Amino acid sequence: MARKAAIIGGGVIGGGWAARFLLNGWDVAVFDPDPEAPRKVGEVIANARKALPALSDVPMPPEGNLSFAGTITEAVEGAEYIQESVSERLDLKHRVFAQIQQVAPGVLIGSSTSGFKPSELQEKAPEPGMIFVAHPFNPVYLLPLAEVVPSPKNPADAIERAKTILREIGMFPLHVRKEIDAHIADRFLEAVWREALWLVKDGIATTEEIDEAIRMGFGLRWGQMGLFETYRVAGGEAGMKHFMAQFGPCLTWPWTKLMDVPEFNDELVDLIAGQSDAQSGHHSIRELERIRDSNLIGFLRALKERNWGAGKVLREHDERKAVAFFGATDSAPKAAPLTMAHMQVLPGWIDYNGHMTESRYYFANSETVDAFLRLIGAGMDYVAAGHSYYSAETHIRHLGEAKLGDRLTGTIQIISADEKRFRSFVRIMKGEECVATIEQLCLHVNMAEGKSAPASAEVWAKLKAIADAHAALPLPEGAGRAVGQKK
């Protein structure tokens, strides 16, 4: 039976939480009195379905069941975890917590609040120790950070359980040791936001110029090194001490207006909104979300390849899913092709005919097979130890057309395998249509000796488990065909 999460509040953040839990195999019940909530949450989940699987290199778990409850009581019944994402009104949150704890005593309740301290949330609650801050960042279904902020009233074991659940759905729980207004990350954002408002108000820069300064410069550094590690590098060989000595005196200079706030009036709002409309108004919000998601996938996958920053979280989540795939008792996988890769046809993937170019079909096969190799334990760590699988022979059939923007899925079926080789059959799917098949023979190689050799016992055991399961499948249509052979 699937585990259940209840999401109270179905806005952008609540919808993101729903998607994160749902796509990681949890049943999700959403409560929001807004009659438009099913549509809004549905659109967020639709974007998430296109984005989150693209970060995974092992099969995603079966999607959970999504339901919309008519009451809070109905939503939280049977829930293992509850996430509150209602408006930032303390009185409203107090009423919601009271209703929840009347019918769901002892259940963890995380709050998405970006500003309130947990001690404020816990006021007058029947069970204050079950309420804590779990503050995410938009889009919740892609960005791993969740600031977990307890108060002294939260039992340590309850917070550890919450952190475990967040890790299980691929998030990075950052345990904030002392409660403070706006936690950690939003305090930085507030500082940058204040300064940006002054720069626009004083006519120094437009909204677009400020965004360019961030995304063309320090934003790229922060995305993979953060603040202090970036400045450590900036200090050169002498490191952070040199950087502090060089730039420390600047802190007393009037460079910023961090403690001064521009008057928040209609003139300022119209100025900011007008420039923002001119900058991005030609895109709908949903279009901007999809552009944002595609860019984030690229950044996150680059970090994942290097096992760095947020990419390390993705790798660790894949490793946990791989363990779940094989099962705690190493039970055999199911007799079905494995879905190993999710891709989208990008502008650089198409040829002069407007179709996906031949080289990208080989790339799609590589993405699928590489993900399979990681699944059986033959990833980059295995290669670093001197062992790898080499492609010995490949046969591709083009059965359909893939064009710009098409979403593709790579599945793999193992036709045969022994300790030194395996024969795979990859299908590149566009929805229900198979646009290409790639049959391949891979040899296991001892790289130091430059010749084939048996795979390690652990890798062979995982490969054999899948090969044995796939032996029950019929031989794929087209397997073993010669080039140009008539049907």
Side-chain angles (χ1 to χ4, degrees), residues 203-331:
I204 305 300
T206 66
T207 59
E208 184 172 11
E209 289 164 350
I210 290 169
D211 285 351
E212 299 289 24
I214 295 171
R215 63 190 175 197
M216 299 297 178
F218 66 86
L220 292 172
R221 298 186 308 190
W222 282 8
Q224 48 92 31
M225 274 195 169
L227 180 66
F228 285 98
E229 199 161 47
T230 293
Y231 285 159
R232 179 181 180 85
V233 174
E237 293 183 0
M240 182 60 83
K241 282 191 175 181
H242 175 70
F243 176 83
M244 294 291 287
Q246 184 176 9
F247 291 99
C250 303
L251 297 175
T252 62
W253 298 351
W255 276 8
T256 70
K257 298 183 179 182
L258 290 182
M259 300 308 295
D260 193 7
V261 185
E263 182 181 354
F264 200 79
N265 53 29
D266 290 343
E267 181 182 2
L268 179 61
V269 171
D270 290 343
L271 177 64
I272 299 292
Q275 290 188 9
S276 180
D277 288 345
Q279 176 185 350
S280 305
H282 56 290
H283 292 295
S284 72
I285 294 300
R286 293 296 176 235
E287 286 173 337
L288 285 173
E289 287 175 343
R290 287 189 286 272
I291 291 168
R292 173 203 64 193
D293 289 356
S294 294
N295 291 336
L296 284 174
I297 289 167
F299 294 156
L300 290 168
R301 287 206 67 90
L303 293 172
K304 186 179 184 182
E305 290 175 6
R306 292 156 180 79
N307 199 28
W308 191 267
K312 187 175 182 181
V313 177
L314 294 173
R315 274 204 184 190
E316 291 170 351
H317 188 43
D318 271 2
E319 290 169 3
R320 286 191 292 269
K321 286 190 294 183
V323 171
F325 175 82
F326 281 102
T329 59
D330 289 327
S331 58

Side-chain angles (χ1 to χ4, degrees), residues 336-347:
L338 302 177
T339 299
M340 299 304 307
H342 298 267
M343 299 154 281
Q344 184 176 21
V345 180
L346 303 174

